[in-house]
Amino acid sequence: RCGCSTNWQHRLLFAVVMNASRTLRREDTAHWSIAAENDVGRLRGFEVLTLYDGGRTGWLEALRVHPRHRGQGLATSLQSGLVALACDALGLARVRYTTGSGNVASRRLAARCGLSVVASWGVLMPRRRVPVAAEAAKVRAARLRVVGGRRRRAKEADESCAEVEARPVGATELLDFAGRGGLRFLLQSYWKAYDFDGANLEMLLRTHEPPLVTSEAPGGRVTSLSWAYHQRDALGLTVFATVYTERLACTLGHLEAQLVRATEAGADAVMLMYDARLEPELHAL
């Protein structure tokens, strides 16, 4: 989160964040880019800041440094410049970005620029040569093993999960689900993360596929949720889906249901995200 002063004059911005080797360009009201050049004007590196979430959040992306200029602190200079711009000049509430848990260099860079981990997601991406339907069958088999094994152990009976279904739900009902869970989740949309609040839920209800849920009883309170976003481009249809639950059996149920949905939609690629704390158990399956 940004805790910086927001009283800079706009006319002072360029004097503050620019020097002889760094330039900042405003693309439009929502996109900014920062770049570093050498003495003859050749690009050494760049990064982009995108404003979203109603202008409250800045998203860092597309950090690139030429191989010849790595190890010189250039990435830190670029990213710290954009973080300063976001906090001080634009007055944003927060800055976020996503990186791989194994990307040590990226995580160290984030820490140097004042960022810390707020959420961790596991990712399942079926290979192109593996039909999505076949992946759904594997997930189904794993779920049945989990549910069947836990039903045989009374102390873990509460780990079973109701059937995943598609039914009309509104932002109020989904906000109640998050509130009962202590608002542990961030809403994932494509590559970006949003606060789990009413305005963002309304936005996702308009732009995403109808959510899949489990309930305490038919039509009862929501106990788990998954949501998918469909992107069509020159490469075909890609489905991005996120599962919002901390329970293994429910996670497997949602993964299976979203894979089946993706198959029915004719998806060419799928990326499924779930609570990273379930990674060890899912890998064991």
Side-chain angles (χ1 to χ4, degrees), residues 2-38:
C2 298
C4 314
S5 171
T6 59
N7 61 358
W8 283 10
Q9 294 292 325
H10 182 75
R11 59 186 174 83
L12 297 178
L13 171 63
F14 292 95
V16 173
V17 302
M18 291 175 61
N19 57 34
S21 64
R22 190 167 59 182
T23 59
L24 177 74
R25 184 172 75 253
R26 178 180 178 179
E27 309 285 359
D28 53 48
T29 56
H31 299 85
W32 296 73
S33 62
I34 190 168
E37 301 173 340
N38 61 16

mmCIF file of all heavy atoms in Angstrom, residues 2-38:
data_model
loop_
_atom_site.group_PDB
_atom_site.id
_atom_site.type_symbol
_atom_site.label_atom_id
_atom_site.label_comp_id
_atom_site.label_asym_id
_atom_site.label_seq_id
_atom_site.Cartn_x
_atom_site.Cartn_y
_atom_site.Cartn_z
ATOM 1 N N CYS A 2 0.353 2.302 -0.609
ATOM 2 C CA CYS A 2 1.120 3.540 -0.696
ATOM 3 C C CYS A 2 0.885 4.360 0.561
ATOM 4 O O CYS A 2 -0.251 4.582 0.969
ATOM 5 C CB CYS A 2 0.695 4.341 -1.922
ATOM 6 S SG CYS A 2 0.991 3.476 -3.469
ATOM 7 N N GLY A 3 1.970 4.824 1.146
ATOM 8 C CA GLY A 3 1.851 5.692 2.296
ATOM 9 C C GLY A 3 2.627 6.978 2.073
ATOM 10 O O GLY A 3 3.241 7.504 2.985
ATOM 11 N N CYS A 4 2.638 7.430 0.842
ATOM 12 C CA CYS A 4 3.475 8.576 0.471
ATOM 13 C C CYS A 4 2.650 9.858 0.412
ATOM 14 O O CYS A 4 1.430 9.843 0.362
ATOM 15 C CB CYS A 4 4.116 8.334 -0.896
ATOM 16 S SG CYS A 4 4.838 6.699 -1.094
ATOM 17 N N SER A 5 3.361 10.978 0.394
ATOM 18 C CA SER A 5 2.705 12.272 0.237
ATOM 19 C C SER A 5 2.070 12.370 -1.145
ATOM 20 O O SER A 5 2.571 11.831 -2.112
ATOM 21 C CB SER A 5 3.729 13.388 0.405
ATOM 22 O OG SER A 5 3.175 14.623 0.049
ATOM 23 N N THR A 6 0.938 13.067 -1.230
ATOM 24 C CA THR A 6 0.248 13.202 -2.518
ATOM 25 C C THR A 6 0.122 14.663 -2.936
ATOM 26 O O THR A 6 -0.731 15.010 -3.737
ATOM 27 C CB THR A 6 -1.162 12.591 -2.446
ATOM 28 O OG1 THR A 6 -1.901 13.258 -1.413
ATOM 29 C CG2 THR A 6 -1.102 11.115 -2.146
ATOM 30 N N ASN A 7 0.978 15.558 -2.388
ATOM 31 C CA ASN A 7 0.786 16.984 -2.648
ATOM 32 C C ASN A 7 1.778 17.547 -3.655
ATOM 33 O O ASN A 7 2.014 18.742 -3.703
ATOM 34 C CB ASN A 7 0.863 17.769 -1.331
ATOM 35 C CG ASN A 7 2.221 17.607 -0.664
ATOM 36 O OD1 ASN A 7 3.066 16.885 -1.154
ATOM 37 N ND2 ASN A 7 2.394 18.284 0.470
ATOM 38 N N TRP A 8 2.392 16.683 -4.486
ATOM 39 C CA TRP A 8 3.289 17.186 -5.522
ATOM 40 C C TRP A 8 2.506 17.969 -6.574
ATOM 41 O O TRP A 8 1.404 17.595 -6.928
ATOM 42 C CB TRP A 8 4.006 16.045 -6.204
ATOM 43 C CG TRP A 8 5.121 15.469 -5.393
ATOM 44 C CD1 TRP A 8 5.415 15.721 -4.081
ATOM 45 C CD2 TRP A 8 6.084 14.532 -5.848
ATOM 46 N NE1 TRP A 8 6.494 14.998 -3.685
ATOM 47 C CE2 TRP A 8 6.932 14.258 -4.756
ATOM 48 C CE3 TRP A 8 6.325 13.898 -7.058
ATOM 49 C CZ2 TRP A 8 7.993 13.378 -4.841
ATOM 50 C CZ3 TRP A 8 7.382 13.018 -7.134
ATOM 51 C CH2 TRP A 8 8.209 12.772 -6.047
ATOM 52 N N GLN A 9 3.125 19.010 -7.067
ATOM 53 C CA GLN A 9 2.544 19.718 -8.199
ATOM 54 C C GLN A 9 2.797 18.898 -9.464
ATOM 55 O O GLN A 9 3.881 18.352 -9.657
ATOM 56 C CB GLN A 9 3.189 21.094 -8.350
ATOM 57 C CG GLN A 9 2.891 22.033 -7.188
ATOM 58 C CD GLN A 9 1.439 22.425 -7.138
ATOM 59 O OE1 GLN A 9 0.804 22.582 -8.181
ATOM 60 N NE2 GLN A 9 0.902 22.549 -5.945
ATOM 61 N N HIS A 10 1.791 18.821 -10.324
ATOM 62 C CA HIS A 10 1.943 18.029 -11.556
ATOM 63 C C HIS A 10 3.115 18.531 -12.394
ATOM 64 O O HIS A 10 3.845 17.744 -12.982
ATOM 65 C CB HIS A 10 0.657 18.092 -12.377
ATOM 66 C CG HIS A 10 0.701 17.273 -13.628
ATOM 67 N ND1 HIS A 10 0.611 15.904 -13.607
ATOM 68 C CD2 HIS A 10 0.847 17.630 -14.927
ATOM 69 C CE1 HIS A 10 0.693 15.450 -14.848
ATOM 70 N NE2 HIS A 10 0.833 16.477 -15.656
ATOM 71 N N ARG A 11 3.332 19.841 -12.421
ATOM 72 C CA ARG A 11 4.408 20.387 -13.242
ATOM 73 C C ARG A 11 5.786 19.990 -12.716
ATOM 74 O O ARG A 11 6.789 20.090 -13.425
ATOM 75 C CB ARG A 11 4.306 21.907 -13.301
ATOM 76 C CG ARG A 11 4.372 22.596 -11.952
ATOM 77 C CD ARG A 11 4.119 24.089 -12.063
ATOM 78 N NE ARG A 11 4.047 24.724 -10.766
ATOM 79 C CZ ARG A 11 5.105 25.115 -10.071
ATOM 80 N NH1 ARG A 11 6.326 24.916 -10.563
ATOM 81 N NH2 ARG A 11 4.960 25.703 -8.902
ATOM 82 N N LEU A 12 5.879 19.549 -11.452
ATOM 83 C CA LEU A 12 7.164 19.142 -10.884
ATOM 84 C C LEU A 12 7.459 17.663 -11.115
ATOM 85 O O LEU A 12 8.567 17.219 -10.870
ATOM 86 C CB LEU A 12 7.191 19.410 -9.377
ATOM 87 C CG LEU A 12 7.071 20.865 -8.942
ATOM 88 C CD1 LEU A 12 7.070 20.956 -7.421
ATOM 89 C CD2 LEU A 12 8.211 21.699 -9.526
ATOM 90 N N LEU A 13 6.467 16.913 -11.585
ATOM 91 C CA LEU A 13 6.598 15.463 -11.694
ATOM 92 C C LEU A 13 7.789 15.063 -12.548
ATOM 93 O O LEU A 13 8.623 14.269 -12.127
ATOM 94 C CB LEU A 13 5.315 14.876 -12.284
ATOM 95 C CG LEU A 13 5.370 13.389 -12.664
ATOM 96 C CD1 LEU A 13 5.605 12.541 -11.418
ATOM 97 C CD2 LEU A 13 4.072 12.965 -13.345
ATOM 98 N N PHE A 14 7.899 15.630 -13.730
ATOM 99 C CA PHE A 14 8.958 15.217 -14.639
ATOM 100 C C PHE A 14 10.333 15.589 -14.103
ATOM 101 O O PHE A 14 11.286 14.852 -14.264
ATOM 102 C CB PHE A 14 8.720 15.817 -16.024
ATOM 103 C CG PHE A 14 7.515 15.241 -16.701
ATOM 104 C CD1 PHE A 14 6.291 15.883 -16.611
ATOM 105 C CD2 PHE A 14 7.594 14.057 -17.387
ATOM 106 C CE1 PHE A 14 5.170 15.349 -17.209
ATOM 107 C CE2 PHE A 14 6.471 13.518 -17.987
ATOM 108 C CZ PHE A 14 5.261 14.153 -17.906
ATOM 109 N N ALA A 15 10.432 16.715 -13.423
ATOM 110 C CA ALA A 15 11.718 17.114 -12.844
ATOM 111 C C ALA A 15 12.145 16.144 -11.747
ATOM 112 O O ALA A 15 13.323 15.889 -11.553
ATOM 113 C CB ALA A 15 11.620 18.520 -12.284
ATOM 114 N N VAL A 16 11.163 15.599 -11.054
ATOM 115 C CA VAL A 16 11.476 14.709 -9.940
ATOM 116 C C VAL A 16 11.839 13.312 -10.420
ATOM 117 O O VAL A 16 12.811 12.722 -9.954
ATOM 118 C CB VAL A 16 10.283 14.643 -8.963
ATOM 119 C CG1 VAL A 16 10.515 13.589 -7.903
ATOM 120 C CG2 VAL A 16 10.073 16.004 -8.319
ATOM 121 N N VAL A 17 11.088 12.757 -11.372
ATOM 122 C CA VAL A 17 11.291 11.358 -11.720
ATOM 123 C C VAL A 17 12.162 11.155 -12.946
ATOM 124 O O VAL A 17 12.419 10.034 -13.341
ATOM 125 C CB VAL A 17 9.933 10.650 -11.969
ATOM 126 C CG1 VAL A 17 9.062 10.745 -10.752
ATOM 127 C CG2 VAL A 17 9.236 11.244 -13.188
ATOM 128 N N MET A 18 12.641 12.214 -13.557
ATOM 129 C CA MET A 18 13.492 12.074 -14.729
ATOM 130 C C MET A 18 14.922 12.473 -14.418
ATOM 131 O O MET A 18 15.173 13.327 -13.586
ATOM 132 C CB MET A 18 12.985 12.942 -15.898
ATOM 133 C CG MET A 18 11.680 12.476 -16.501
ATOM 134 S SD MET A 18 11.093 13.613 -17.763
ATOM 135 C CE MET A 18 12.415 13.559 -18.948
ATOM 136 N N ASN A 19 15.861 11.808 -15.074
ATOM 137 C CA ASN A 19 17.237 12.261 -15.059
ATOM 138 C C ASN A 19 17.802 12.028 -16.451
ATOM 139 O O ASN A 19 17.066 11.717 -17.387
ATOM 140 C CB ASN A 19 18.055 11.549 -13.969
ATOM 141 C CG ASN A 19 18.015 10.041 -14.132
ATOM 142 O OD1 ASN A 19 17.974 9.532 -15.247
ATOM 143 N ND2 ASN A 19 18.027 9.327 -13.021
ATOM 144 N N ALA A 20 19.097 12.113 -16.607
ATOM 145 C CA ALA A 20 19.684 12.042 -17.951
ATOM 146 C C ALA A 20 19.462 10.701 -18.624
ATOM 147 O O ALA A 20 19.504 10.604 -19.840
ATOM 148 C CB ALA A 20 21.175 12.345 -17.872
ATOM 149 N N SER A 21 19.245 9.643 -17.845
ATOM 150 C CA SER A 21 19.142 8.318 -18.456
ATOM 151 C C SER A 21 17.749 7.720 -18.343
ATOM 152 O O SER A 21 17.536 6.579 -18.687
ATOM 153 C CB SER A 21 20.138 7.367 -17.779
ATOM 154 O OG SER A 21 19.796 7.198 -16.409
ATOM 155 N N ARG A 22 16.792 8.503 -17.857
ATOM 156 C CA ARG A 22 15.471 7.932 -17.621
ATOM 157 C C ARG A 22 14.397 8.875 -18.121
ATOM 158 O O ARG A 22 14.463 10.088 -17.878
ATOM 159 C CB ARG A 22 15.296 7.668 -16.119
ATOM 160 C CG ARG A 22 14.054 6.858 -15.784
ATOM 161 C CD ARG A 22 14.094 6.365 -14.361
ATOM 162 N NE ARG A 22 14.184 7.459 -13.399
ATOM 163 C CZ ARG A 22 14.275 7.279 -12.087
ATOM 164 N NH1 ARG A 22 14.336 6.059 -11.607
ATOM 165 N NH2 ARG A 22 14.328 8.311 -11.275
ATOM 166 N N THR A 23 13.430 8.358 -18.823
ATOM 167 C CA THR A 23 12.340 9.189 -19.320
ATOM 168 C C THR A 23 11.010 8.568 -18.938
ATOM 169 O O THR A 23 10.881 7.349 -18.828
ATOM 170 C CB THR A 23 12.381 9.324 -20.856
ATOM 171 O OG1 THR A 23 12.295 8.017 -21.453
ATOM 172 C CG2 THR A 23 13.659 10.001 -21.301
ATOM 173 N N LEU A 24 10.017 9.388 -18.738
ATOM 174 C CA LEU A 24 8.685 8.944 -18.369
ATOM 175 C C LEU A 24 7.697 9.497 -19.375
ATOM 176 O O LEU A 24 7.745 10.670 -19.719
ATOM 177 C CB LEU A 24 8.322 9.455 -16.964
ATOM 178 C CG LEU A 24 6.923 9.141 -16.456
ATOM 179 C CD1 LEU A 24 6.838 7.669 -16.065
ATOM 180 C CD2 LEU A 24 6.612 10.016 -15.255
ATOM 181 N N ARG A 25 6.824 8.640 -19.872
ATOM 182 C CA ARG A 25 5.845 9.094 -20.858
ATOM 183 C C ARG A 25 4.439 8.748 -20.387
ATOM 184 O O ARG A 25 4.182 7.613 -19.964
ATOM 185 C CB ARG A 25 6.111 8.444 -22.225
ATOM 186 C CG ARG A 25 5.165 8.971 -23.310
ATOM 187 C CD ARG A 25 5.545 8.470 -24.700
ATOM 188 N NE ARG A 25 5.180 7.094 -24.909
ATOM 189 C CZ ARG A 25 6.043 6.087 -24.953
ATOM 190 N NH1 ARG A 25 7.316 6.302 -24.759
ATOM 191 N NH2 ARG A 25 5.638 4.853 -25.166
ATOM 192 N N ARG A 26 3.549 9.696 -20.512
ATOM 193 C CA ARG A 26 2.154 9.459 -20.205
ATOM 194 C C ARG A 26 1.448 9.013 -21.474
ATOM 195 O O ARG A 26 1.347 9.759 -22.436
ATOM 196 C CB ARG A 26 1.513 10.741 -19.651
ATOM 197 C CG ARG A 26 0.031 10.587 -19.344
ATOM 198 C CD ARG A 26 -0.531 11.886 -18.800
ATOM 199 N NE ARG A 26 -1.958 11.770 -18.536
ATOM 200 C CZ ARG A 26 -2.689 12.755 -18.032
ATOM 201 N NH1 ARG A 26 -2.125 13.897 -17.722
ATOM 202 N NH2 ARG A 26 -3.982 12.594 -17.828
ATOM 203 N N GLU A 27 0.943 7.759 -21.474
ATOM 204 C CA GLU A 27 0.247 7.237 -22.649
ATOM 205 C C GLU A 27 -1.172 7.820 -22.729
ATOM 206 O O GLU A 27 -1.618 8.246 -23.776
ATOM 207 C CB GLU A 27 0.175 5.707 -22.591
ATOM 208 C CG GLU A 27 1.518 5.020 -22.331
ATOM 209 C CD GLU A 27 2.408 5.025 -23.539
ATOM 210 O OE1 GLU A 27 1.980 5.550 -24.579
ATOM 211 O OE2 GLU A 27 3.534 4.523 -23.453
ATOM 212 N N ASP A 28 -1.881 7.775 -21.609
ATOM 213 C CA ASP A 28 -3.211 8.366 -21.484
ATOM 214 C C ASP A 28 -3.504 8.418 -19.992
ATOM 215 O O ASP A 28 -2.593 8.278 -19.177
ATOM 216 C CB ASP A 28 -4.267 7.560 -22.276
ATOM 217 C CG ASP A 28 -4.253 6.082 -21.922
ATOM 218 O OD1 ASP A 28 -4.246 5.767 -20.711
ATOM 219 O OD2 ASP A 28 -4.252 5.261 -22.836
ATOM 220 N N THR A 29 -4.752 8.610 -19.611
ATOM 221 C CA THR A 29 -5.053 8.756 -18.187
ATOM 222 C C THR A 29 -4.851 7.464 -17.406
ATOM 223 O O THR A 29 -4.776 7.499 -16.186
ATOM 224 C CB THR A 29 -6.513 9.219 -18.010
ATOM 225 O OG1 THR A 29 -7.387 8.290 -18.659
ATOM 226 C CG2 THR A 29 -6.704 10.604 -18.594
ATOM 227 N N ALA A 30 -4.771 6.322 -18.072
ATOM 228 C CA ALA A 30 -4.683 5.040 -17.371
ATOM 229 C C ALA A 30 -3.362 4.319 -17.593
ATOM 230 O O ALA A 30 -3.118 3.311 -16.938
ATOM 231 C CB ALA A 30 -5.837 4.123 -17.799
ATOM 232 N N HIS A 31 -2.514 4.774 -18.502
ATOM 233 C CA HIS A 31 -1.281 4.050 -18.817
ATOM 234 C C HIS A 31 -0.080 4.994 -18.792
ATOM 235 O O HIS A 31 -0.097 6.047 -19.437
ATOM 236 C CB HIS A 31 -1.369 3.384 -20.189
ATOM 237 C CG HIS A 31 -2.460 2.371 -20.306
ATOM 238 N ND1 HIS A 31 -3.759 2.701 -20.614
ATOM 239 C CD2 HIS A 31 -2.444 1.025 -20.143
ATOM 240 C CE1 HIS A 31 -4.499 1.614 -20.639
ATOM 241 N NE2 HIS A 31 -3.732 0.587 -20.348
ATOM 242 N N TRP A 32 0.957 4.599 -18.052
ATOM 243 C CA TRP A 32 2.211 5.332 -17.992
ATOM 244 C C TRP A 32 3.341 4.355 -18.271
ATOM 245 O O TRP A 32 3.264 3.181 -17.908
ATOM 246 C CB TRP A 32 2.415 5.957 -16.615
ATOM 247 C CG TRP A 32 1.409 6.998 -16.243
ATOM 248 C CD1 TRP A 32 0.110 6.796 -15.893
ATOM 249 C CD2 TRP A 32 1.641 8.402 -16.172
ATOM 250 N NE1 TRP A 32 -0.497 7.994 -15.604
ATOM 251 C CE2 TRP A 32 0.419 8.998 -15.763
ATOM 252 C CE3 TRP A 32 2.745 9.213 -16.403
ATOM 253 C CZ2 TRP A 32 0.280 10.371 -15.589
ATOM 254 C CZ3 TRP A 32 2.618 10.582 -16.223
ATOM 255 C CH2 TRP A 32 1.396 11.153 -15.823
ATOM 256 N N SER A 33 4.393 4.824 -18.886
ATOM 257 C CA SER A 33 5.555 3.968 -19.113
ATOM 258 C C SER A 33 6.824 4.732 -18.767
ATOM 259 O O SER A 33 6.896 5.961 -18.934
ATOM 260 C CB SER A 33 5.609 3.495 -20.575
ATOM 261 O OG SER A 33 5.744 4.596 -21.457
ATOM 262 N N ILE A 34 7.796 4.005 -18.266
ATOM 263 C CA ILE A 34 9.084 4.594 -17.924
ATOM 264 C C ILE A 34 10.166 3.812 -18.660
ATOM 265 O O ILE A 34 10.077 2.579 -18.785
ATOM 266 C CB ILE A 34 9.314 4.579 -16.396
ATOM 267 C CG1 ILE A 34 10.533 5.417 -16.025
ATOM 268 C CG2 ILE A 34 9.434 3.173 -15.854
ATOM 269 C CD1 ILE A 34 10.651 5.680 -14.525
ATOM 270 N N ALA A 35 11.157 4.493 -19.190
ATOM 271 C CA ALA A 35 12.195 3.836 -19.985
ATOM 272 C C ALA A 35 13.552 4.433 -19.682
ATOM 273 O O ALA A 35 13.659 5.601 -19.293
ATOM 274 C CB ALA A 35 11.883 3.971 -21.474
ATOM 275 N N ALA A 36 14.576 3.621 -19.841
ATOM 276 C CA ALA A 36 15.957 4.076 -19.670
ATOM 277 C C ALA A 36 16.694 3.904 -20.992
ATOM 278 O O ALA A 36 16.555 2.872 -21.663
ATOM 279 C CB ALA A 36 16.646 3.255 -18.577
ATOM 280 N N GLU A 37 17.464 4.916 -21.360
ATOM 281 C CA GLU A 37 18.226 4.883 -22.599
ATOM 282 C C GLU A 37 19.700 5.113 -22.295
ATOM 283 O O GLU A 37 20.066 5.672 -21.260
ATOM 284 C CB GLU A 37 17.730 5.973 -23.559
ATOM 285 C CG GLU A 37 16.266 5.860 -23.931
ATOM 286 C CD GLU A 37 15.782 7.052 -24.729
ATOM 287 O OE1 GLU A 37 16.457 8.111 -24.659
ATOM 288 O OE2 GLU A 37 14.760 6.943 -25.409
ATOM 289 N N ASN A 38 20.558 4.681 -23.233
ATOM 290 C CA ASN A 38 21.977 4.983 -23.069
ATOM 291 C C ASN A 38 22.285 6.346 -23.699
ATOM 292 O O ASN A 38 21.383 7.056 -24.142
ATOM 293 C CB ASN A 38 22.841 3.874 -23.670
ATOM 294 C CG ASN A 38 22.604 3.695 -25.166
ATOM 295 O OD1 ASN A 38 22.036 4.560 -25.829
ATOM 296 N ND2 ASN A 38 23.052 2.575 -25.702
#
